[in-house]
Each structure stands twice: as C-alpha cells, then as structure tokens.
C-alpha cells in the first residue's frame, strides 16, 4: 500500500494515502518512505485495549487485524503503534522482518495493485501466514504493557521422581536470570511435570511464558494438561488453524512456525524437541525463537537426543545442562538387541522377508503385544506390509508422512485395532502406546541416525505396567549409528544407576 | 540446478535430448511435485476440455460431457463459449498450489506453469485477442494481483484488459453450481466495445470449474459484437 509523509511540528509523520485528502502530497509505496521514527507516547490518548491485547508482543500485518485503518493510524500518531518494514533491503538482497529469511530464491516480486509498483518484493518463506512485502508494514504495539492480575497458582498435586526433582530445581533456580539451560531427558522421563514449578515461578514474577514445539499434536496433548495444572492462568495455543489467537495469554503454546508472529513477547522460552526437524534444520525457525523472546529471556531446551553441536557445547561448559537419565516409572530403558538378518534388501526385492525377521513377526503376532516396525523408506512400506500380512493373522497396517489417514491409523493403533504398524522415521517421536515392542528392519540403513534409533527405541517400555518392551535392530552388518545408539542407551542406564 | 517453486526443494532437471532442444517444456517444479500434476490428455469434451477418462461413461454423450450439454440446451447460454482448453486436471495437489497462490498471495507460483502453457497453447492464442478475467477492485486490492492477468503473461499473443468486474461478490469457490447458475446480474462489462467487435476473443482464467464465470464474460463479449469467444485456463 501507499503512504504519504509530511512534517508536523518538525517531525516526520506518515499516513496511508486513503486517509489523507491533500493532493499535494505524493503517495509512495511503504518501502520507499524515509526512515520512520517512533512517535512519543501521548498519555492522554485513550487507546483501544482490544488492540493492545491482540498486538502486544507481536508483529502483525494490517490484514491480520480487524481494525479500521483510521484506528491504527491514530494509535501510531499517538505513539501506541509502530509501522515496521515487512521486507527490507539487506546488505545483499532482501530480508523478511517477520521470519528473518534472507535466501534469494525465497523472495519474488509481482506487479502490486496495492502500491502500484511493477515489482513489489515479497517473502515466500512465510507466505502461509499471509504475504509480507516491501509495501506492507508489520505493526507492533509500542504502548504500555498489559497488566496481569491473575493468580498463577500451580494446582498440580503429583510427585516428581528424584531425578525429575533435580532437573525441576535447576530450572526454578534459573527463572529470573537470563541464559540457557538444556534439559536432557530420556524418552519417557516425564518432562512436562519437570516444567511445572519453573513455569509457576515465572508466571508469578509476571513473566510471559512460551512453550514452542515442532508438532501440533504435542500442543493438543499438552494444552489440557497445562490448563488443569494452571486453572487461573490464561493459556493460548497457536498452531496452523487454531482459534485462540486473540486471547492475551500469559502462557502460550505454539508451534515453532507460529512464532514468526511474535516479537520480543516472552521472558521465558521453552523449546521442546530442540533437535527435531524442522527446527534444527531451518535457520528461520531459530530466528523466530530469538525474535519472539526478550533479549534477556531465559531459554530452556528440551531433548532426549541433543544434536552433536549441543552435546559439544555441554562438554565445553558453554551450555548448562541437567540430565534425567531415568524414566518416570524408575525402570531402565530397554536396550536394543541386534539381529543379523542377511541381505534384507535383496530378499525384499525377491518378495521375501528375512528369516530372522519372519520368525520374530510370527511370534509377535501370537504374543498379543503390539509392535511398531520401522523401515528405512516409504517406497518399500507397502511391500513389507503385504509380505507380513501373508504370514500373520492379526491386523497389519502402514502409515507414512503423506498418508491422509495418518491420524486415524495412529488412533486405531493406540486402541489396539491395528496390532502391527509399519512406518518410517516420521513416527519416531510422540507415539506412546503400552504393551509395545519395536523392530527396525534394515537398522543399518543410512537414514537411521543415532538419534533416530534412540528415539525409536524410546517408544518401547513407556508405561509402568510394561516397562520392559523389546527393541530389535534387524540388520545386514552393524552400522556406527546402531552402535552409538546402543551405547547412548547403556550410558543413560548406567548414569541412572543400573 | 533449481529450487522447486512450490516446495522449495533443491532439484536438478532431468536430462534429455528433447529438453535440450526446447521441445519438451517442464513445469518449474521438482520431480515429486511434477508427478502430482495430471496433464490433460487423451479424449476430451469438445466444449469444456474435460478429459473423459476422469468421469463415468454415463455423463458423456458423443463428444461432449453432460455439463456442457446442459449449458447448450439452455437458450440463454447455448453457443456462447466456443471451447475451453486447460492444461491440468484440477486435482487435490493443484488445488493446494492454486490456493497457496491466490489465498496466501504467492503470485510467483503461477510462473511454474509458464513454459508449458506457452508451448501448449501457442496455436490457440496466436490469432486471438487475449482477455484475462478481471477481479473486482476490492478483491484485487485484497489479493494485490489478478492471477488471470499473470497467467496471461505466459501466453503468446495480444493481451488486452477489455473486461471489468463491477460487483463485489462472494468468492466463487464457496458456491455450488446451482448458486452460480442462478446468478442474475452479469458481473462483467466490456470497457471498449469497439475493441471487441468482430474479434476472436480468448478469455484467460486460472480455473474452469462450472464454466459460469467464463460464460458470463463470453455473454458480454458476444453482446458487444465479438465474433467468437473461447477460453484457456490453467486447471479444469
């Protein structure tokens, strides 16, 4: 869109062209305006509390705000709202101010009806949240902070295990300071409970808290638990398609992608599964985490399998870390067993299952226990499923990333309608099912990293009634990742005192 | 080496002699996205260009589909639209691509189809006046661009914005066929009637769904004296 700029009492002021009826002022695209200064706050101005609630700690496009342009402009003129550049010139090329993208190939331009420019540059990286372009400002709240009057008492009554307690205490001690802390908790350690006391302290200090996670299903599972633990706190969930966007919440659950919308909003940022794709891979998501937090915010990282870089930082004492090497039920992690199964790939091509795997699958089928069977690639998933179906009586199905029935199939597996579920690394995290064994067919394949294997092994033995599930690596020659994964699990068990 | 315009994955083009000599046009997408597109080929409806392979035999009569027969049986609509030709089947994947382009505002995406639309429609577009289906002013402001105009840029020929859309309506995609056919007032007007008279017009749009938008546009064109009106769309 186009703005005009003019001087008022010696200070430059801008206004959308449609709000100004002065033909002498020449409208220009937003990006071509001179630098805009923040107006000084006019304390006698009666600001909209609704706008404050929605915009506080965020960076939003005009299209995301259901307010008349005139209202926004008045807030700007009185110093309560700021027009910030959406996409601006960087040293080389362009930079998106919402997602931080600086990749040349993720910018494009179009002939824009709003600013009448033939080549209005926009960001294609965060386009799913609406288009940020050179001519569209991002709005931020520059008025007073919101008063938080709620009573944030923790109503959770449960007890922490000794190791959970240690981690929880470390976290509580850090709240109020800035810096970072890695909570390295094995799969099934009960990390949510570990967060409760630290979050309570932060909320009571008037902090705004965010839990960011790569996956929507984690938010859906976490939100009711947190609402139960903090019944007097306003908690909002942000994920693609969520509806709680306008609530002024003290505690926010968000997918990492939705963090693009926030700006210096949080004093405590908890990043769940910090090693998981896409967070570990996508630089703009890491940028989103930094932008969404205050410069002096405390950042907590959660992971069962920290990346090599993180582990290195821990060893070099650059990153404070607390470990929870033991599961909440107090039993050790099941150690994977390696089963040599010959040239599994060739056998599959010939339409046969490796004999060792076949023996196991037959015994598994009659045991009445469920099993997740991980395979290295989507391309063989249907074939393996068909082959297994030829040998067993129980219900066998498969699920992969682009399966439209993914949710339904996982739910049916949880309920026990499906007994053997063939899948890929997409289900390495998040699925918690009792009475479950895990098999990895082709564990030596290069797609299975140490972390992926540890996560998959971590699906077994999650409940206290069934703490000793089986984990089997069917392979054609041990890989380094397999050995490291087993060592990883053994080390954790050793550290836990087994 | 390129980045897929839809999923942003890095990919290398497959090498072939026909591609080298510019005989085979490929969309600017990675192999896995390209594979999800369905090019329209084989037997198609003479009028709307829909492939017969996609719907049950009983909806076909001779060389037309049942929808087109219904249009042609109606006095008001018969013969308005000579023919429509489209590049791809409007399948789930293309729906996602077009939604991202239109509703999220990723104008660049339509360029993925430039090489193909240019080569495939050359023979149809050369001797006609190309007229993109316009958006209402409000809608165009909201979106920032008109996808039909951008699509038209890929075609060889004389593009003229001769139409104007006057009423701001509900988005077509939120309506049923019955709603669309019942639309009373034609939303289009011809800007320059002299420019249309005795001309062969080719309307350009992104999607042919029921054909009502294109027929409304064709109607005002015919009323202004156009010789014949056909259309080209990206998806059918």
């Amino acid at each position: 869109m186009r703005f005009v700029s003019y001087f008022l009492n010696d200070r430059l002021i801008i206004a959308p062209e449609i709000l100004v009826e002065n033909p002498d002022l020449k409208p220009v695209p937003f990006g071509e305006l001179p630098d805009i200064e923040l107006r000084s706050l006019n304390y006698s101005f009666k600001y909209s509390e609704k706008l404050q609630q929605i915009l506080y700690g965020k960076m939003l496009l005009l299209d995301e705000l259901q307010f008349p342009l005139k209202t926004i402009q008045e807030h700007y003129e009185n110093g309560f709202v700021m027009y910030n550049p959406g996409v601006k010139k960087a040293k080389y090329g362009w930079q998106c101010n919402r997602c931080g993208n600086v990749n040349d190939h993720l910018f494009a331009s179009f002939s824009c009806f709003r600013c009448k420019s033939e080549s209005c540059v926009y960001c294609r990286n965060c386009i799913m949240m609406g288009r940020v372009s050179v001519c569209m400002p991002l709005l931020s709240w520059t008025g007073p902070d919101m008063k938080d009057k709620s009573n944030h008492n923790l109503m959770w009554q449960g007890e922490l295990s000794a190791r959970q307690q240690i981690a929880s205490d470390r976290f509580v001690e850090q709240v109020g300071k800035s810096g970072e802390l890695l909570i390295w908790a094995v799969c099934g350690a009960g990390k949510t409970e570990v967060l409760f006391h630290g979050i309570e302290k932060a909320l009571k200090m008037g902090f705004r808290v965010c839990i960011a996670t790569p996956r929507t299903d984690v938010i859906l599972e976490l939100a009711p638990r947190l609402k139960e633990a903090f019944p007097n706190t306003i908690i909002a969930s942000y994920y693609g398609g969520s509806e709680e966007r306008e609530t002024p919440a003290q505690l926010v659950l968000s997918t990492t992608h939705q963090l693009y919308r926030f700006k210096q909003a949080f004093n405590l940022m908890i990043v769940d599964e910090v090693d998981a794709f896409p967070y570990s891979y996508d630089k703009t998501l890491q940028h989103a985490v930094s932008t969404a937090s205050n410069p002096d915010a405390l950042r907590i990282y959660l992971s069962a399998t920290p990346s090599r870089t993180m582990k290195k930082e821990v060893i070099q004492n650059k990153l404070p870390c607390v470990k929870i090497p033991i599961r909440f039920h107090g039993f050790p992690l099941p150690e994977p067993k390696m089963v040599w199964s010959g040239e599994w790939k060739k056998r599959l091509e010939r339409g046969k299952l490796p004999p060792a795997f076949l023996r196991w699958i037959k015994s598994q089928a009659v045991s009445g226990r469920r099993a997740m069977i991980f395979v290295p690639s989507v391309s063989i998933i249907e074939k393996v499923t068909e082959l297994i179906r030829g040998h067993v009586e129980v219900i066998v199905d498969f699920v992969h990333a682009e399966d439209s029935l993914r949710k339904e199939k996982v739910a049916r597996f949880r309920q026990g309608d499906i007994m053997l579920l063939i899948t890929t690394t997409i289900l390495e995290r998040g699925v918690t099912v009792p009475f479950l064994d895990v098999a990895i067919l082709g564990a030596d394949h290069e797609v299975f990293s140490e972390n992926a294997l540890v996560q998959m092994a971590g699906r077994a033995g999650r409940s206290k009634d069934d703490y000793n599930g089986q984990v089997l690596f069917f392979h054609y020659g041990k890989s380094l990742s397999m050995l490291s994964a087993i060592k990883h699990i053994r080390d954790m068990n050793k550290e836990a005192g087994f | 080496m390129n980045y897929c315009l839809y999923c942003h994955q890095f990919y290398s083009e497959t090498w072939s002699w026909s591609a080298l000599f510019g005989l085979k046009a490929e969309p600017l997408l990675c192999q896995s996205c390209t594979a999800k597109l369905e090019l329209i080929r084989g037997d198609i409806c003479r009028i709307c260009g829909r492939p017969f392979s996609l719907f049950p035999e009983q909806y076909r009569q001779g060389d037309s589909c049942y929808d087109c027969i219904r249009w042609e049986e109606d006095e008001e609509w018969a013969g308005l639209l000579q023919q429509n030709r489209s590049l791809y089947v409007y399948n789930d994947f293309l729906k996602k691509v077009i939604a991202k382009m239109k509703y999220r505002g990723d104008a660049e995406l339509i360029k993925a189809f430039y090489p193909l639309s240019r080569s495939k429609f050359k023979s149809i577009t050369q001797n006609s006046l190309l007229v993109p289906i316009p958006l209402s002013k409000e809608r165009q402001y909201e979106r920032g661009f008109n996808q039909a105009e951008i699509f038209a840029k890929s075609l060889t020929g004389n593009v003229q914005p001769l139409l104007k859309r006057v009423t701001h309506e509900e988005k077509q995609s939120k309506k049923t066929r019955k709603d669309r056919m019942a639309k009373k007032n034609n939303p289009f007007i011809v800007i320059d009637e002299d420019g249309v008279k005795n001309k062969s017009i080719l309307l350009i749009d992104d999607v042919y769904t029921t054909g009502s938008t294109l027929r409304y546009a064709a109607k005002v064109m015919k009323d202004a004296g156009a010789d014949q009106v056909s259309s080209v769309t990206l998806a059918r």
Side-chain angles (χ1 to χ4, degrees), chain A residues 410-480:
Chain A
V410 173
R412 281 176 53 215
F413 183 58
R414 273 209 177 103
Q415 288 157 16
D417 290 344
I418 297 172
M419 291 304 282
L420 304 176
L421 187 66
I422 328 299
T423 183
T424 61
T425 49
I426 57 141
L427 287 192
E428 71 178 38
R429 292 159 195 263
V431 176
T432 302
V433 174
F435 306 103
L436 175 82
D437 296 313
V438 171
I440 297 147
L441 181 58
D444 53 317
H445 193 284
E446 62 196 18
V447 300
F448 294 127
S449 63
E450 172 193 334
N451 285 354
L453 291 168
V454 171
Q455 290 284 357
M456 291 183 279
R459 300 304 107 213
R462 295 287 283 248
S463 97
K464 68 177 188 308
D465 304 317
D466 177 48
Y467 54 84
N468 203 10
Q470 231 184 350
V471 180
L472 299 168
F473 288 174
F474 291 95
H475 67 97
Y476 178 48
K478 300 169 189 174
S479 72
L480 192 61

Side-chain angles (χ1 to χ4, degrees), chain A residues 5-22:
Chain A
S5 58
Y6 55 92
F7 281 93
L8 187 75
N9 303 331
D10 277 347
R11 298 202 60 175
L12 190 76
I13 190 165
I14 66 160
E17 63 171 324
I18 55 164
L19 295 182
V20 181
E21 287 163 16
N22 182 348

Side-chain angles (χ1 to χ4, degrees), chain B residues 18-53:
Chain B
S18 51
L20 189 67
F21 290 120
L23 297 173
K24 207 173 101 199
E26 290 279 353
L28 306 175
L29 300 170
C30 68
Q31 280 84 358
S32 95
C33 286
T34 305
K36 291 180 199 154
L37 291 166
E38 293 171 70
L39 260 179
I40 293 183
R41 55 177 100 209
D43 277 356
I44 55 171
C45 167
R46 175 180 59 85
I47 300 174
C48 73
R50 174 153 60 155
F52 286 129
S53 56

Side-chain angles (χ1 to χ4, degrees), chain A residues 43 54 76 291 330 409 428 437-438 466 495:
Chain A
Y43 289 96
I54 293 170
Y76 154 72
T291 315
K409 284 182 180 174
E428 71 178 38
D437 296 313
V438 171
D466 177 48
E495 200 160 331

Side-chain angles (χ1 to χ4, degrees), chain A residues 367-388:
Chain A
S367 72
R369 291 171 63 84
R370 270 167 285 185
M372 283 174 96
I373 297 147
F374 291 93
V375 296
S377 94
V378 185
S379 57
I380 60 166
I381 202 165
E382 285 186 48
K383 190 161 192 186
V384 171
T385 310
E386 271 318 301
L387 291 174
I388 293 176

Side-chain angles (χ1 to χ4, degrees), chain A residues 1 63 105-114 118 122 124-125 127-131 281 402, chain B residues 3-6 8 36 100 104-109 111 137 140-145 150 153:
Chain A
M1 60 195 285
D63 309 56
H105 75 98
L106 290 175
F107 288 99
S109 66
F110 68 110
S111 165
C112 176
F113 196 70
R114 292 189 179 186
E118 267 312 302
Y122 72 97
R124 301 190 65 223
N125 186 57
I127 192 83
M128 291 314 273
M129 310 175 76
R131 184 178 57 226
Y281 176 84
E402 293 195 11
Chain B
Y3 290 98
C4 173
L5 274 181
Y6 182 69
H8 307 316
K36 291 180 199 154
K100 189 175 178 190
R104 307 285 174 177
D106 198 355
E108 186 77 358
L109 262 176
K111 292 192 184 158
K137 217 174 156 191
Q140 184 152 2
Y141 186 85
E142 186 187 299
R143 199 165 289 166
F145 59 85
I150 307 183
K153 280 188 188 157

Side-chain angles (χ1 to χ4, degrees), chain B residues 22-85:
Chain B
L23 297 173
K24 207 173 101 199
E26 290 279 353
L28 306 175
L29 300 170
C30 68
Q31 280 84 358
S32 95
C33 286
T34 305
K36 291 180 199 154
L37 291 166
E38 293 171 70
L39 260 179
I40 293 183
R41 55 177 100 209
D43 277 356
I44 55 171
C45 167
R46 175 180 59 85
I47 300 174
C48 73
R50 174 153 60 155
F52 286 129
S53 56
L54 287 185
F55 55 95
E57 192 61 34
Q58 70 255 36
Y59 293 114
R60 172 180 181 174
Q61 278 178 32
D63 55 2
S64 312
C65 70
Y66 182 58
D67 279 348
C68 286
I69 288 165
R70 275 206 287 172
W71 281 113
E72 295 305 314
E73 277 170 356
D74 190 326
E75 245 172 68
E76 211 190 329
W77 299 105
L80 280 180
L81 190 67
Q82 177 104 348
Q83 67 159 36
N84 171 71
R85 289 296 175 264

